[in-house]
Amino acid sequence: MGKIGAPQLMHVFGQAPVTLPGKRTVSSPQGVAPQATVTATGRSFQGINEGDTLAVTVDPDSETAGFFIADVEPDGPNTIKVRAGNYSGAAISFGSRDIAVTVLENRGYRQTFAISSYMGGDEFLAGVDSETATACIFKTVNSFGSVYPVYSVPGAKCVRQFLILDDDEILAICADQGVIVKSVDGGDTWDCKGRRGTETALFCAEVEGGERSGRNNVLVGSATGNLWFSADAGDSWVNKGCVAGTHDQVWGLIWLSGTGAAAKYLALLNDSGSTYPPALYLVSGYGDQRTFLQFIGDAGDDIQGYIRLASGAFLIGLSDGSVNRFDDLESPAASHFNLRTFAPSEDKPRAFAQWTDGTVLLGGQDAGYLWRSDDDGVTFVREHRVGFLDAVISLRAIGNDMVVMGCGQGFTTGKPYKATVYRAMRCQFD
């Protein structure tokens, strides 16, 4: 096959102007004194974050002498405060004006931690985490040629995963502090379902039948080792308790087979205390039944990335740099490939994806390389360094020709943070 072309930086979140779609109206009420300003609050723009630096423009067709915008600033998630007034006593102007808002930058955006699966129409969602404000969900309708913010998640600094239930219903699973938000219109608007108990982070989610199954049964795994279950597509939740007292992180969930109480899932567990190796469990009964399958790696290792391949095999990446391939879940790994052999600084096989022709793609977090496998995940070939000192955090494949990578520098180089998206194309050679 042809090689993968050099990754291309598509957007640096928070470091390039982003004009929000649509307009809002701000009023200059009657009775304001000449040369005075008034404050119009509560003007809702989706995606406004408290760390944003903003600019505002007034629709020229609606301007009249004497009216101006004095200032605009975020006023909590998804809202702005606008200061407007009259320019002089000679031309007092009342009424309303349409304004457009542009996000100039937000230097608190750290990493593109989550990218949704391909939504059709060149649409994706990207979750960008923040150290200083709240996580922001961006949307693109041109495969990351440009993006615009659609929601700033209250009470969460990081979107860990998008889970598409059907073409319109989407859940965003968040960390800091275990929040879930839901969209029923393809990610344009969102409804916060609140925090799950006292959870500090939610790591993963899976819907019965896999993404786009159209079913309502959803499992979520947490940073305390608990499973949460929803029978109504994420509107309400029940805590099913800890999967295993030995492990405190449900890092991954994969639907295997079945429906209803007979549905089976693979749960991938980590022990942050480093007493036990990572473990695989079989989960059924809406999360009530848990069966231990096997340990993988050693105590102190963590599961990083994972994928169920089209062939039925499983790939699980560990923090020792290894990619472990399992033909079934109860037997030892059928193959063991270590990225350190070719990139000594690469300890975290973080994100996997697969093209429809079977090609397996892998993004490494520590060294930031893109890798390719043409033998169903048995061996990998290093393709490119993604950006400069960028960590690959999330990965999505489209058809047989493109891969989109969510990256950042928050875990590798410290501030200033840089949330980025790259994409790479397949290059065919005759």
Side-chain angles (χ1 to χ4, degrees):
M1 62 158 284
K3 289 178 63 65
I4 298 176
Q8 177 188 14
L9 176 65
M10 299 311 298
H11 187 81
V12 180
F13 294 94
Q15 296 183 20
V18 177
T19 301
L20 280 71
K23 295 180 179 180
R24 298 295 186 272
T25 299
V26 61
S27 299
S28 177
Q30 294 188 24
V32 63
Q35 298 182 342
T37 60
V38 295
T39 300
T41 60
R43 304 302 175 189
S44 178
F45 275 82
Q46 290 293 304
I48 293 294
N49 202 323
E50 292 187 43
D52 292 337
T53 301
L54 305 176
V56 64
T57 55
V58 181
D59 186 344
D61 294 336
S62 66
E63 284 186 283
T64 60
F67 184 84
F68 73 104
I69 300 295
D71 190 20
V72 58
E73 63 184 58
D75 188 29
N78 304 304
T79 62
I80 59 173
K81 177 172 63 178
V82 178
R83 292 176 59 82
N86 291 292
Y87 186 72
S88 70
I92 298 177
S93 174
F94 306 119
S96 300
R97 302 295 181 271
D98 289 331
I99 65 171
V101 173
T102 298
V103 181
L104 298 181
E105 66 176 9
N106 186 326
R107 296 188 180 275
Y109 289 148
R110 185 174 66 174
Q111 298 172 114
T112 308
F113 210 102
I115 294 178
S116 72
S117 60
Y118 181 58
M119 298 165 62
D122 293 330
E123 294 184 6
F124 295 86
L125 298 171
V128 179
D129 60 322
S130 172
E131 187 69 20
T132 58
T134 55
C136 193
I137 297 174
F138 288 78
K139 187 172 182 177
T140 177
V141 295
N142 56 11
S143 295
F144 290 102
S146 61
V147 300
Y148 56 91
V150 292
Y151 190 64
S152 182
V153 186
K157 290 185 177 181
C158 174
V159 176
R160 298 287 305 219
Q161 180 187 341
F162 293 104
L163 182 66
I164 299 179
L165 308 183
D166 60 26
D167 290 340
D168 296 315
E169 283 189 302
I170 305 169
L171 298 181
I173 309 302
C174 304
D176 304 325
Q177 301 284 328
V179 171
I180 293 176
V181 295
K182 181 179 179 179
S183 173
V184 295
D185 58 7
D188 290 329
T189 60
W190 294 83
D191 179 24
C192 184
K193 299 302 179 181
R195 183 180 179 184
R196 306 276 65 79
T198 58
E199 300 285 3
T200 58
L202 304 175
F203 285 151
C204 57
E206 182 68 303
V207 61
E208 178 185 296
E211 282 200 296
R212 291 185 172 83
S213 67
R215 298 173 186 168
N216 292 328
N217 293 333
V218 181
L219 281 180
V220 167
S222 80
T224 57
N226 289 325
L227 286 175
W228 291 79
F229 173 70
S230 173
D232 54 13
D235 289 326
S236 61
W237 296 86
V238 176
N239 187 352
K240 293 292 186 174
C242 191
V243 176
T246 53
H247 293 72
D248 59 356
Q249 296 180 351
V250 181
W251 189 256
L253 287 166
I254 300 175
W255 174 78
L256 300 176
S257 64
T259 61
K264 296 179 180 180
Y265 302 80
L266 173 64
L268 300 93
L269 309 184
N270 285 331
D271 170 28
S272 65
S274 300
T275 302
Y276 300 93
L280 306 183
Y281 272 74
L282 185 66
V283 174
S284 60
Y286 303 117
D288 289 327
Q289 286 84 50
R290 304 87 179 254
T291 303
F292 172 75
L293 297 175
Q294 63 172 304
F295 291 121
I296 60 173
D298 300 313
D301 291 338
D302 291 317
I303 295 172
Q304 293 293 310
Y306 55 91
I307 187 174
R308 186 185 188 184
L309 301 175
S311 66
F314 297 85
L315 299 183
I316 300 175
L318 298 182
S319 56
D320 61 0
S322 67
V323 178
N324 302 273
R325 184 182 180 281
F326 296 83
D327 289 325
D328 64 78
L329 298 174
E330 297 184 5
S331 301
S335 64
H336 179 93
F337 182 88
N338 202 298
L339 305 184
R340 289 179 179 173
T341 305
F342 304 95
S345 61
E346 187 57 85
D347 289 338
K348 294 181 179 179
R350 183 54 186 258
F352 291 92
Q354 187 174 30
W355 278 335
T356 52
D357 68 352
T359 302
V360 182
L361 305 168
L362 165 62
Q365 178 172 315
D366 283 346
Y369 284 105
L370 177 64
W371 303 75
R372 187 192 84 238
S373 173
D374 299 320
D375 56 9
D376 207 41
V378 176
T379 60
F380 286 83
V381 176
R382 189 175 64 187
E383 287 278 351
H384 293 287
R385 193 83 176 263
V386 181
F388 177 69
L389 295 181
D390 271 9
V392 181
I393 309 297
S394 51
L395 197 67
R396 289 294 185 178
I398 303 93
N400 290 327
D401 297 310
M402 187 169 77
V403 58
V404 175
M405 295 155 278
C407 305
Q409 294 183 354
F411 287 160
T412 56
T413 62
K415 297 179 181 179
Y417 300 136
K418 190 173 95 171
T420 56
V421 167
Y422 291 81
R423 68 181 184 184
M425 310 294 184
R426 170 176 278 167
C427 299
Q428 298 287 355
F429 300 98
D430 296 328

